Structures are given as structure tokens and as C-alpha cells.
Amino acid sequence: GAPDPDWASLNLVVMVCHRCAGAHRHLGAHVSKVRSASLDLDAWTPPVLSLFASVGNDRANDLWEARRRDGTVAPKVLRLEAAIKEGKDERGFAGKEPEHPPPVAFDCAGDPEATLAAVTRKYVARAHVKPATATVASCVDASASLDVPALLERLVRSSTDRRDAERVARERRE
């Protein structure tokens, strides 16, 4: 949500602002490995930079906040739509979708406890993540084809609940 974030969670593949970086640190390194984009230069190897470039925050938040973003479009899509109406571009969209809501911790400015609670709901409880379905690529398929966004989607949408795994297996058989 914040412009020009200068921190990142390496394992969640998201760039975050300084305020949210503090909340991510409270989650523990087993959930979020926080690094500075300007101070921790050893963390930013070419593969890590490539990973972040191939995913991006918009795509990551499409996964981490999928339930909140249902029926909405990214602000840049709305800007493109306005350009189309002005005759500057041929591509088009329906024109009825509202803009994506800001990330969950965006409205918690000035309240560290609210920020931590929002970040915990998002990344620990996965409150806004849609469960995996049979149509989501498996980790093996996504990694074999070097499809980083699909692999991240599988990892984000995976659940430790055995019933979810059984449901996906049943969907694949049908």
C-alpha cells in the first residue's frame, strides 16, 4: 500500500513499508523473513531479485488477499480504462468493477497493535486466502515448468488441513 516500500518479506515475496516490516518481524522468522532493500544487500542475490520481479506485490496480494479482492480490479486497470474512454488505447474492460481495496494494514497507520493484528490475520491465519482447488497447478508441475507465479499460488493457497487435501484429491478424480 505505501509508495516505494523499502523492506521485504523474502519468503512471502512481498515488499512492505517500514511500519509493516515491524509487524512482520513480530510474526517470527518462521512466518516472515524481513530484510531491508537498502541495508541487507547480501540478501538480494540475482535469483531473489528475479523472483520479486516475476511476482510483484500486485500478484502477491492477489493471492494473499483474494477474498477481499473478489469483483475488483487494480487501480492501473481503472486508469487504462479511462484512457480507453478517452480514445488513447484499444484494449477494454467491462467498466463496472470497483478498485481493489488497499492492503489490510493500510488503514492501521499509527496503531502498531492494529497493524500487527491485520498482518497476522493475513499471513498467519490466511483469512483472505482462497483455498486451493484442483485447477491450481501442483508444486511439482509449477516448478517443473519454472512458473514462479503458479508455484507461489500453490504455496499460498495450500492448507495444512487434511480435509482440504482430500477435497482437492476428490476434485481431481472427478
Side-chain angles (χ1 to χ4, degrees):
D4 303 318
D6 53 355
W7 290 82
S9 172
L10 296 180
N11 56 322
L12 299 176
V13 195
V14 292
M15 297 296 296
V16 296
C17 67
H18 185 264
R19 178 176 52 90
C20 290
H24 277 258
R25 285 197 188 279
H26 278 282
L27 299 179
H30 65 289
V31 175
S32 185
K33 292 179 177 30
V34 180
R35 298 292 182 270
S36 167
S38 58
L39 301 175
D40 297 320
L41 298 180
D42 291 343
W44 297 98
T45 62
V48 171
L49 290 171
S50 176
L51 173 66
F52 273 75
S54 69
V55 174
N57 268 23
D58 282 338
R59 174 72 175 130
N61 278 326
D62 281 346
L63 299 171
W64 289 112
E65 299 192 0
R67 288 184 173 152
R68 293 182 72 239
R69 289 184 167 201
D70 271 350
T72 65
V73 294
K76 64 183 166 193
V77 173
L78 295 176
R79 287 192 298 274
L80 173 62
E81 190 175 275
I84 293 165
K85 287 179 183 171
E86 294 172 14
K88 297 178 182 173
D89 200 321
E90 304 93 39
R91 297 172 291 174
F93 294 92
K96 296 178 179 77
E97 301 87 352
E99 185 175 325
H100 284 332
V104 293
F106 185 78
D107 296 327
C108 302
D111 188 348
E113 290 176 11
T115 300
L116 179 58
V119 169
T120 301
R121 277 192 312 277
K122 181 175 177 177
Y123 296 108
V124 178
R126 296 180 177 210
H128 311 294
V129 174
K130 288 183 178 179
T133 64
T135 60
V136 176
S138 71
C139 286
V140 173
D141 294 340
S143 60
S145 63
L146 301 177
D147 187 348
V148 174
L151 182 58
L152 179 63
E153 180 176 10
R154 170 47 75 181
L155 294 173
V156 168
R157 292 178 68 182
S158 293
S159 170
T160 56
D161 188 335
R162 218 177 103 193
R163 292 170 297 188
D164 286 342
E166 291 166 355
R167 180 184 47 77
V168 170
R170 192 172 46 254
E171 286 177 10
R172 287 181 189 256
R173 285 192 303 271
E174 294 172 355

